[in-house]
Amino acid sequence: MQFNIIVLPGDGVGPEVVDEGVRVLEAVGKKFKHKFVLDYYDIGGVAIDKHGVSLRKDTIKACKKADAVLLGAVGGPKWDNPLASVRPEDGLLALRKELGLFANLRPVRVLPMLEDGSTIKPEVVRGVDLVVVRELTGGLYFGKPKKRWQTSGGRKAVDTMAYSELEISRILKVGFELARGRRKKLASVDKANVLETSRLWRQIATEMAPEYPDVELQHVLVDSCAMRLIQRPAEFDVIVTENTFGDILTDEASMLPGSMGMLPSASVAGIPEEGHPILGLYEPIHGSAPRRAGLNMANPIATILSVALMLRYSLALYEEAAAIEKSVTLVLENGFRTYDIARSGKTEVGTKQMGGLIAEAVLKN
Ligand code: IPM
Ligand code: MG
């Protein structure tokens, strides 16, 4: 089969980790006899430098026509001026919005050989296997008004948290459906003791629950969820939450396996179902890590696991996706680690070596 994939390497370590994702994708192509046609476009800071905007219209057009989009990371100190009129992050946000990718799935799994790699005790992180379903195209990120102005009493700024019933119910549905296919536990995370949007969210979740009698729904306040994620993380199955809460909670959750460099993500416009591939954007949850850029240090596993999610959700290549995940496990079992998950007694390798080892494992196994 032939597939068209748009590749957006972006900034910082983005191009390095994407290179390894592509290397593993090509190994899959070779082994399973698929042709992946890759088209590269600029996004983020590099796009600002080259074209004056963080995302060009023709890039959006190409993404809409493709089978899937693979992205590295955007942003960096060069473009961080708070007064700048164009920001690298805006390109990513516009892409998510333009493609209608309202559901961001962030699986968090602690593999047995990484139990001792977390800053949290091994017995606490043991067996963690959860997925955060983050609403991705609403809330504070996109709500209007969103501005800054001068008042007689000094400067003032506002961001708006707005959610419609449709936005809430469609993301909750993704949460319920995913939970149904897993351990049937759904934690709906909100701040209903303070926020009106959260009260609407909680009400809709409660109204939907009878449609899913097999799923155990629990409402969890976001502050309490942050605590429970490091207290008893293994109890979580599916967490569904709004955009900003999901952003914060997933950085926290990445410390369960011990590094942001281990967490992949899939952004999709619906519920991924077996046999029904949908367009998606696949990216590691980590940022551009500018201090590590160009040093062959960054952990490419988050991106490589994102490629596995891409094969599963957007290309319906299930065996191929599993082959990547198995290869990642194998290479870690064989003791290879990038700097972020390094331990004494293990073999520390760079970005390229890690990608090469995983690609090799795909071909051999
Ligand atoms: C993420 C990132 C982005 C976000 C940034 C880069 C805009 O932190 O994907 O989690 O906040 O969504
Ligand atoms: Mg984030």
Side-chain angles (χ1 to χ4, degrees), residues 23 27 30 36 40 54-55 62 88 123 159 166 175 189 219 239 254 256 259 268 281-282 285 298 306 311 313 352:
R23 191 202 297 264
K30 197 162 164 195
F36 298 109
Y40 285 73
S54 53
L55 180 70
E123 61 266 31
D159 289 290
L166 177 118
V189 173
H219 302 285
I239 293 174
S254 76
L256 302 170
S259 168
V268 287
L281 165 68
Y282 299 85
I285 82 145
S306 299
L311 295 179
Y313 296 149
K352 288 195 175 78

Side-chain angles (χ1 to χ4, degrees), residues 96 106 134 141 246-248 250-251 260 285-287:
R96 290 171 176 171
R106 300 188 158 185
R134 171 188 174 196
Y141 280 61
D247 179 45
I248 299 168
T250 48
D251 266 29
M260 299 244 294
I285 82 145
H286 63 72

